[in-house]
Amino acid sequence: MVEQHAEGRIVTPEPVPVAIGRRPEPVHDVAVYAFPGMAPFELGVVVEVFGLARPELTGLLAAPWYGLKVCADRPGTALDAVGGFAMVARHGLDELAAADTVVVPGVPNALGGVGVSPGLVAALRTAHERGARIVSICGGAFALAAAGLLDGREATTHWRYAELLQQRYPRVRVNPDVLYVDDGDVLTSAGSAAGIDLCLHLVRRDHGAKVANSVARRFVVPPHRDGGQAQFIEAAVRPVEEEDDGIARSMQWAMANLSSPLTISALARSARMSDRSYLRHFTARNGTSPMRWVVTQRIAASLPLLESPEGTVEEIAAAVGFESAATFRHHFGRVMRTSPTAYRRGFGHGVA
């Protein structure tokens, strides 16, 4: 463009600087379902993980954090919650159906046979057909089953509901012994606290182990728990004993020496206990055996190494204390339900 001045001189204007930046990546929308009579803990877990501002993650995130919407059949209507208070969801089921991840943290009175909301069933089917990730916590598995999303799949729910879920929906392969099941686009978790495990697993899938570990630290929970629901079924309350200090001391020692050979005898010595007494008290306290716990800690320590482009699988296996890469792959597959190589391909930064 040029300008013709009165004296006949032609002037070309100076170019106007325009700031052109990279187009921001879209936020991953998470929608969580709220309903009358719900227990607030499961909803709170989802809000805490996906809806809380997280300045501590500055510099760790390669993509934006989540956007969270609490959705209900009738948005704007007060929903009575367990504990004598009410909440209001601002968003409806249309927005739930349009989300990238949909979480159902429960259903009304799963044991009593109250039907799942037809509107929720339709929204879940729509979301799934769009390619959304569908997640349930505790009794929320009944909603996913009612929508047909668990047919032919392995799934879990709270151990109190497992038999009923299997009876009502025989096409579902109910596994009552695990904390959660990741079947790709459909994920289910056991009772309330297992929702924390599953939500942290989702963060690990989306953002990697470092970010998931940071979220877990703020939650003050372990980033990954080994073992299943069996350890919680009708378990007697165990009195705290003085020897527990030795158990804690041995666990701290093990964490500082993961790359070294660790045996029951070595752990028991660090706790100043006999092998037999140590095994009994450790299992009673943690719900799993000492060596199974050690394997889980070694797997957890391997995750940030796999996310780095440095080191082969063999070198990482040795660095975290496994005798061989084959042993590492075996235990990694059992705990993470994938291989080290597949994990690195999915979560590694700068890894081809």
Side-chain angles (χ1 to χ4, degrees), residues 223-239:
H224 180 84
R225 288 194 296 163
D226 193 24
Q229 295 191 73
Q231 60 187 293
F232 304 111
I233 298 174
E234 302 299 338
V237 176
R238 182 182 55 82

Side-chain angles (χ1 to χ4, degrees), residues 2 10 31 47 49 67 77-78 97 101 105 108 110 189 258 293 313 326 340 345:
V2 296
I10 297 177
V47 172
V49 173
T77 302
T101 293
S189 74
L258 283 178
W293 176 83
V313 170
R345 191 161 49 241

Side-chain angles (χ1 to χ4, degrees), residues 300-315:
S302 76
L303 298 183
L305 300 179
L306 289 169
E307 292 178 15
S308 165
E310 304 298 327
T312 64
V313 170
E314 289 75 14
E315 290 169 339

